[in-house]
């Protein structure tokens, strides 16, 4: 399974935020959208950074509630690991494990066109296992 297949199932919606947004606005958007990370992008196309719940937690530990008035640019990760439509689920899994990150934006020709999370990767593995189980059941019970 490739990223293209994952996006066909989950859609290409990406929760983004402008780099000038405050961290208070980031917290509100994370809660409203029910996601764990936002792609930081001023034009909704080019990935300028990524900010996750973990960045907010670290920032709060360092600065307390004053953090909420800071710009997202002060805590976002700028060096973003991305993938494209042909990246496999196994490759994503390796990227996430090695980079200790749970979100990977999908970029094609320099433009943001989706995001995959560790939850999407786990769901894909479970679907594969279910299919394999079904095939084995049929093989054993019907001899085909
Ligand atoms: P996460 O596991 O996604 O909550 O993120 C953990 C840390 O990795 C945070 O500091 C994020 O800003 C950073 N991070 C998340 N996704 C990416 C990514 N695709 N590329 C680089 N850093 C990331």
């Amino acid at each position: 399974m490739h990223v293209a297949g994952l996006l066909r199932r989950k859609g290409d919606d990406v929760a983004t935020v402008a780099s000038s947004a405050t961290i208070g606005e980031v917290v509100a958007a994370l809660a409203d959208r029910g996601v764990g990370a936002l792609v930081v992008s001023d034009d909704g196309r080019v990935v300028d950074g990524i900010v996750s719940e973990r960045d907010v937690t670290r920032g709060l530990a360092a600065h307390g509630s004053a953090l909420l008035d800071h710009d997202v640019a002060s805590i976002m990760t700028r060096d973003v690991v991305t993938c494209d439509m042909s990246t496999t689920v196994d490759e994503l899994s390796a990227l996430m494990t090695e980079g200790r990150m749970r979100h990977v934006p999908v970029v094609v020709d320099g433009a943001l066109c989706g995001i995959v999370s560790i939850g999407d990767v786990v769901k894909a593995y479970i679907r594969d296992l279910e299919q394999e189980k079904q095939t084995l059941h049929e093989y054993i019970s019907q001899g085909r």
Side-chain angles (χ1 to χ4, degrees):
M1 168 84 77
H2 296 84
V3 164
L6 294 183
L7 291 190
R8 262 197 303 278
R9 283 178 177 274
K10 68 169 285 196
D12 59 4
D13 185 39
V14 187
T16 63
V17 67
S19 57
S20 59
T22 65
I23 295 162
E25 289 168 331
V26 166
V27 169
L30 289 170
D32 280 355
R33 301 291 302 261
V35 294
L38 302 174
V39 171
V40 182
S41 174
D42 286 334
D43 61 4
R45 188 175 185 279
V46 175
V47 175
D48 300 314
I50 191 162
V51 62
S52 89
E53 294 160 331
R54 197 165 296 180
D55 301 309
V56 175
T57 308
R58 283 191 203 119
L60 283 172
H63 303 284
S65 60
L67 180 82
L68 298 177
D69 295 324
H70 297 189
D71 286 351
V72 65
S74 66
I75 61 163
M76 72 184 190
T77 300
R78 290 169 193 274
D79 194 7
V80 182
V81 175
T82 62
C83 64
D84 61 30
M85 294 294 184
S86 65
T87 307
T88 66
V89 171
D90 285 346
E91 286 167 340
L92 274 177
S93 175
L95 281 176
M96 289 176 173
T97 306
E98 283 157 22
R100 301 174 67 88
M101 67 191 70
R102 294 166 293 182
H103 303 87
V104 178
V106 185
V107 173
V108 175
D109 294 332
L112 176 66
C113 53
I115 189 164
V116 284
S117 74
I118 199 160
D120 302 318
V121 170
V122 170
K123 276 185 215 151
Y125 280 136
I126 291 173
R127 265 196 312 272
D128 274 1
L129 284 172
E130 289 291 341
Q131 266 168 18
E132 206 174 300
K133 187 175 127 193
Q134 179 70 24
T135 306
L136 284 171
H137 268 301
E138 284 172 12
Y139 178 74
I140 291 164
S141 62
Q142 300 162 17
R144 64 182 167 92

